[in-house]
Amino acid sequence: MVDAKNSAAPADLPDVIEGPDSPSSGPGQVVLNLLDKAIGLQTPLVRKNIARARQRNPEATPAEVIGTLEKMYVSALASTGAAVGGAAAAPGVGTGIALALSAGEALSSLELSALYVLSVAEVHGVPLDEIERRRILVLGILLGESSSKAIGRVAERTGQH
């Protein structure tokens, strides 16, 4: 664990995420591409997210920072869900638009979840410099108990990471 004053890992997180060396094809690749996009969009925001969590209490412990990050995450998820639900339930909104809004909300939830997972990892001092490590962290959290099989498959494919 990292102390409250030094809650960041290396200062040079990449702004651009590079994909795996050998792209595969298939239905799983679409999910990985979405995941990589979400990770790529959120990685530069990790330190800003932690700084926002520390705004009110700069001397907060890592546990307090994570508690604040959790509140921010839940609040953002609830806000986007309520906004999409309210818009989809409005009179005159067709089924197609409601489905598009729901798909957009799913992608938004993925991005918010990636930001939360990577922020918590950063607070704990986990290096986030490799795409495979970021991918495994996010997949591990999002998939829960079934993540062990998915992480095993990713580990077989990437080996050295």
Side-chain angles (χ1 to χ4, degrees), residues 28-111:
Q29 188 60 39
V30 173
V31 174
L32 286 178
N33 289 342
L34 284 173
L35 179 64
D36 287 347
K37 184 175 181 179
I39 292 170
L41 292 172
Q42 301 309 325
T43 299
L45 300 175
V46 168
R47 285 202 176 84
K48 291 178 186 176
N49 197 37
I50 293 169
R52 270 194 6 225
R54 287 188 175 279
Q55 249 176 348
R56 290 187 181 182
N57 185 4
E59 300 298 320
T61 66
E64 292 170 334
V65 171
I66 290 170
T68 303
L69 288 169
E70 183 179 351
K71 289 176 189 171
M72 291 166 44
Y73 170 67
V74 170
S75 175
L77 279 178
S79 297
T80 57
V84 168
V93 173
T95 304
I97 293 173
L99 288 173
L101 288 170
S102 295
E105 195 247 343
L107 291 175
S108 174
S109 295
L110 175 63
E111 289 180 6

Side-chain angles (χ1 to χ4, degrees), residues 1-14 43 45-48 50-51 54 62 65 69 117-130 133-134 137:
M1 186 150 349
V2 178
D3 65 278
K5 293 179 183 172
N6 298 318
S7 67
D12 54 349
L13 284 179
T43 299
L45 300 175
V46 168
R47 285 202 176 84
K48 291 178 186 176
I50 293 169
R54 287 188 175 279
V65 171
L69 288 169
V117 168
L118 296 174
S119 295
V120 170
E122 176 82 4
V123 169
H124 282 291
V126 175
L128 299 174
D129 52 346
E130 296 175 359
R133 180 174 288 133
R134 291 186 298 258
L137 282 168

Side-chain angles (χ1 to χ4, degrees), residues 5-28:
K5 293 179 183 172
N6 298 318
S7 67
D12 54 349
L13 284 179
D15 286 341
V16 177
I17 304 300
E18 295 178 11
D21 293 337
S22 58
S24 60
S25 60

